[in-house]
Amino acid sequence: MSLQSAATGQHDAQEAAPASATWDMDPPRLGPHAYLTCFKGIVWREVLRYLHQRERFLSALVRPLLWLLIFAAGFRQTLGVSIIPPYETYVLYEVFITPGLIGMIQLFNAMQSSLSMVYDRETGAMRTLLVSPFPRSFLLLSKLVGGVAVSLLQVYAYLAVAYFWEIEPPLYGYLTVLPALILSGLMLGSLALFMSSVIKQLENFAGVMNFVIFPMFFASSALYPLWRVKESSVVLYQVCLFNPFTHAVELIRFALYGQVDWTSLAVVLGCTVVFLGGAIYAYNPSKGLIARRGGPGAGV
Amino acid sequence: MEMASESQRHTEAAPALLVKNVSHRFGDTLALDNVSLEVPRGTFVVLLGLNGAGKSTLFALVTRLYDNVSGEIRIFGYDVRRRASAALQRLGVVFQSRTLDLDLTLKQNLLYHCALHGIRGREARKRTARALEIVGLSDRARDKVRNLSGGQARRVEIARSLLHRPALLLLDEPTVGLDIGSRESVIRIVRSLVDNEGLGVLWATHLFDEVQSSDLVVILHKGRMLFTGSVPELLATTGTKDVSNAFRAVTGTTTTELAA
């Protein structure tokens, strides 16, 4: 075709005109613009899907509010919180657990999107994502960012409601917490992504709740300061310290007051790299776990 | 095999799809045993096989869900492992399971898939409109997928697979679960893409009545390729009068096995 067109001086596109409405023999090179389009498309789909699932939208807001309005109110008198950084005065228990609840929102969201990925795997939505001509790690990362975007919507909706419940971090805190939220969202999301590739049968959400969400949530600094935990059990204290979720919560807690907890930042960054690396490896077409197990959705 | 020489040719003349000496193993199960097949440009190739024949594994390998460890797979000359992006840009797939978001509209679904191929803005809207036109669903663009019938949803899947204008289309049991009318319209749409637009199509099915005499047929059975050639050749080789009997003769299966 190219020889002929060179000889006749005709343009390729012209020659291919009758068929070009249906197919492209020479598709355009995928430049930075195309990458950006793909990225935005994937993120936008996650957000659109979320906004269309009213139940998910509501439960993501109601769950932390229940903890805040009922659990925290009940616990307020039982648990005295001393002045620990980043707080400069005595704070209400509600104020103390807000970063923990934000972490919980992100944890739930990550696990839910991981579950939806398993579901996607069964239906084929994951398959269409993976036949996109972009590099697979880029596709997975885009999907991950989409999940984080959804969690940001949830967190800010929660903070907006909580504001009327005397959870009033400094105004700049709403801005400084953003990078922390993105990081913690990425860490939890990549953990969930890794799980979605390794665990073949994430049958229902109850299993994930019992074996992942609850242990991570309770064995962390989300509901009680760690010095309190240490008083009752040193072992549990150690477990909490090794729990990446603790560090996600602490990162958020300090960021909400314009401060950086460097240890937590390092742990969250490190965990993100490890989990994400695992997920990308698991989805790698030649080395990954999917190739070895014959999934997703590919029976013999 | 005669198709071996095909891969030697320049990309310009390469077949739409070339699968050569591909084997694939899951643990102890040999899902594909030295399979070779070819989809020439502008040809409708039927991949006939029962459940468990290895069709899904073959599709997973061609769509690069995981890599082939032996043999080679080329799409218009581009190796799916080494030139994955170039190969995938020329490939459209209709998966057996549904891939659309039920709560989003047809248009939202299709625009998302445009984005997956880096197509945006006016061009994306143009292609979405054109794809819906091809499958006859232009008037439903703003409806949610949930409100479509099974056959209509299938047609949207075809529209989806055409957005990046692939010259090779893979369809995995595309008519399963459809009523007769929907089946016919899906088959008609895809055949017209082959006849009028010159697409190469690999159509996996276990329904023998979907085979036409002008098609090429590949019979896959228990991971092995037992026949490849035209329908008249198939009938002549087996000395049978129809594809269904020919399939039985080639694979040695009984009527009860076919019904299963």
Side-chain angles (χ1 to χ4, degrees):
Chain A
M1 187 159 66
S2 57
L3 273 179
Q4 213 179 347
S5 60
T8 57
Q10 267 184 324
H11 195 266
D12 261 359
Q14 240 176 336
E15 201 183 347
S20 73
T22 314
W23 51 268
D24 261 339
M25 210 50 242
D26 292 303
R29 201 179 61 85
L30 299 170
H33 264 303
Y35 273 80
L36 189 65
T37 302
C38 179
F39 176 78
K40 283 198 294 193
I42 293 173
V43 173
W44 183 235
R45 168 183 180 251
E46 293 298 310
V47 172
L48 260 188
R49 260 159 55 103
Y50 172 66
L51 294 178
H52 276 92
Q53 295 170 332
R54 287 221 183 79
E55 288 159 40
R56 205 176 136 205
F57 186 85
L58 274 177
S59 68
L61 193 57
V62 168
R63 195 179 306 113
L65 287 176
L66 279 180
W67 280 85
L68 182 70
L69 305 186
I70 301 174
F71 178 84
F75 249 60
R76 192 183 207 166
Q77 307 305 332
T78 335
L79 198 78
V81 178
S82 73
I83 302 175
I84 48 164
Y87 307 110
E88 285 158 2
T89 59
Y90 284 104
V91 290
L92 287 176
Y93 183 58
E94 283 93 329
V95 173
F96 177 81
I97 69 164
T98 282
L101 297 183
I102 292 174
M104 184 185 75
I105 293 173
Q106 291 196 303
L107 183 61
F108 261 92
N109 181 68
M111 293 303 151
Q112 251 163 355
S113 68
S114 140
L115 199 73
S116 87
M117 228 168 316
V118 175
Y119 177 76
D120 275 359
R121 249 164 51 171
E122 276 154 21
T123 58
M126 199 67 184
R127 299 282 298 268
T128 54
L129 179 74
L130 298 181
V131 291
S132 159
F134 293 96
R136 195 161 291 189
S137 50
F138 172 76
L139 296 170
L140 292 174
L141 196 65
S142 304
K143 179 115 179 141
L144 196 59
V145 173
V148 175
V150 169
S151 84
L152 291 180
L153 290 178
Q154 297 173 340
V155 168
Y156 278 104
Y158 162 79
L159 279 174
V161 178
Y163 186 82
F164 296 100
W165 207 255
E166 294 179 55
I167 316 294
E168 300 167 2
L171 273 183
Y172 62 81
Y174 289 97
L175 200 64
T176 52
V177 78
L178 185 61
L181 290 175
I182 293 173
L183 263 182
S184 57
L186 281 175
M187 182 190 83
L188 296 170
S190 48
L191 171 66
L193 188 65
F194 179 64
M195 282 175 50
S196 81
S197 60
V198 181
I199 304 174
K200 216 171 182 185
Q201 295 292 330
L202 272 179
E203 286 207 351
N204 52 42
F205 203 58
V208 178
M209 255 174 35
N210 286 332
F211 293 105
V212 182
I213 295 182
F214 283 157
M216 275 187 97
F217 182 58
F218 289 126
S220 78
S221 60
L223 296 178
Y224 12 75
L226 286 186
W227 65 266
R228 279 269 184 178
V229 179
K230 200 177 183 179
E231 276 180 359
S232 49
S233 161
V234 178
V235 177
L236 186 58
Y237 171 74
Q238 299 289 355
V239 171
C240 290
L241 272 188
F242 276 100
N243 182 356
F245 187 69
T246 294
H247 297 280
V249 170
E250 291 310 305
L251 187 69
I252 294 168
R253 189 188 309 284
F254 279 78
L256 203 49
Y257 294 86
Q259 299 175 34
V260 182
D261 182 336
W262 294 102
T263 313
S264 293
L265 179 64
V267 172
V268 170
L269 271 176
C271 286
T272 305
V273 170
V274 171
F275 295 153
L276 190 58
I280 289 173
Y281 177 81
Y283 276 95
N284 181 308
S286 56
K287 304 185 190 78
L289 301 159
I290 287 177
R292 263 181 251 153
R293 287 156 177 252
V300 177
Chain B
M1 264 167 219
E2 67 227 85
M3 65 192 59
S5 62
E6 289 287 342
S7 72
Q8 308 303 322
R9 291 195 205 163
H10 190 261
T11 303
E12 287 279 311
L17 174 66
L18 177 78
V19 175
K20 208 171 100 187
N21 304 7
V22 168
S23 298
H24 202 79
R25 182 181 283 283
F26 295 117
D28 294 335
T29 327
L30 193 58
L32 290 177
D33 184 3
N34 199 24
V35 168
S36 299
L37 64 89
E38 187 185 317
V39 178
R41 298 176 183 211
T43 313
F44 193 97
V45 179
V46 182
L47 176 63
L48 272 180
L50 308 177
N51 294 332
K55 290 180 300 201
S56 295
T57 305
L58 185 64
F59 268 63
L61 291 172
V62 175
T63 57
R64 203 171 173 256
L65 182 63
Y66 33 86
D67 282 336
N68 53 309
V69 282
S70 63
E72 61 177 320
I73 300 174
R74 287 175 183 274
I75 294 171
F76 292 98
Y78 293 99
D79 188 295
V80 293
R81 291 187 65 176
R82 282 179 216 103
R83 300 292 310 277
S85 185
L88 293 177
Q89 275 192 301
R90 289 165 176 81
L91 168 72
V93 195
V94 175
F95 292 104
Q96 195 174 345
S97 47
R98 66 182 170 74
T99 61
L100 302 165
D101 287 316
L102 295 178
D103 292 317
L104 304 189
T105 67
L106 274 61
K107 197 176 166 191
Q108 284 169 332
N109 266 290
L110 296 185
L111 287 177
Y112 163 63
H113 286 280
C114 280
L116 285 183
H117 286 270
I119 305 160
R120 69 181 184 282
R122 186 185 298 169
E123 180 65 19
R125 288 192 297 275
K126 208 175 82 189
R127 292 202 188 187
T128 298
R130 170 76 184 127
L132 285 175
E133 196 184 309
I134 289 174
V135 300
L137 287 170
S138 298
D139 53 329
R140 306 293 300 271
R142 290 180 186 284
D143 286 3
K144 287 189 175 184
V145 173
R146 193 178 288 285
N147 299 328
L148 297 182
S149 70
Q152 288 167 334
R154 211 19 107 174
R155 276 147 64 192
V156 180
E157 298 269 12
I158 293 173
R160 182 191 60 68
S161 72
L162 294 174
L163 290 168
H164 56 293
R165 299 178 178 163
L168 168 66
L169 204 56
L170 254 59
L171 302 100
D172 192 2
E173 304 255 4
T175 56
V176 162
L178 300 187
D179 61 59
I180 293 177
S182 306
R183 247 182 88 185
E184 281 171 357
S185 91
V186 166
I187 293 172
R188 197 176 55 241
I189 289 166
V190 176
R191 285 198 178 275
S192 94
L193 289 169
V194 176
D195 297 339
N196 304 331
E197 316 285 357
L199 261 75
V201 164
L202 182 65
W203 176 285
T205 187
H206 63 273
L207 302 168
F208 304 114
D209 58 342
E210 291 177 355
V211 183
Q212 279 187 6
S213 57
S214 57
D215 298 337
L216 291 180
V217 175
V218 175
I219 293 181
L220 194 64
H221 190 64
K222 296 182 178 166
R224 292 174 55 217
M225 206 196 58
L226 299 182
F227 175 86
T228 170
S230 68
V231 174
E233 279 167 12
L234 174 65
L235 299 183
T237 319
T238 53
T240 50
K241 285 204 173 65
D242 59 50
V243 176
S244 146
N245 282 315
F247 182 87
R248 254 168 253 168
V250 169
T251 60
T253 44
T254 59
T255 318
T256 40
E257 272 182 275
L258 290 183

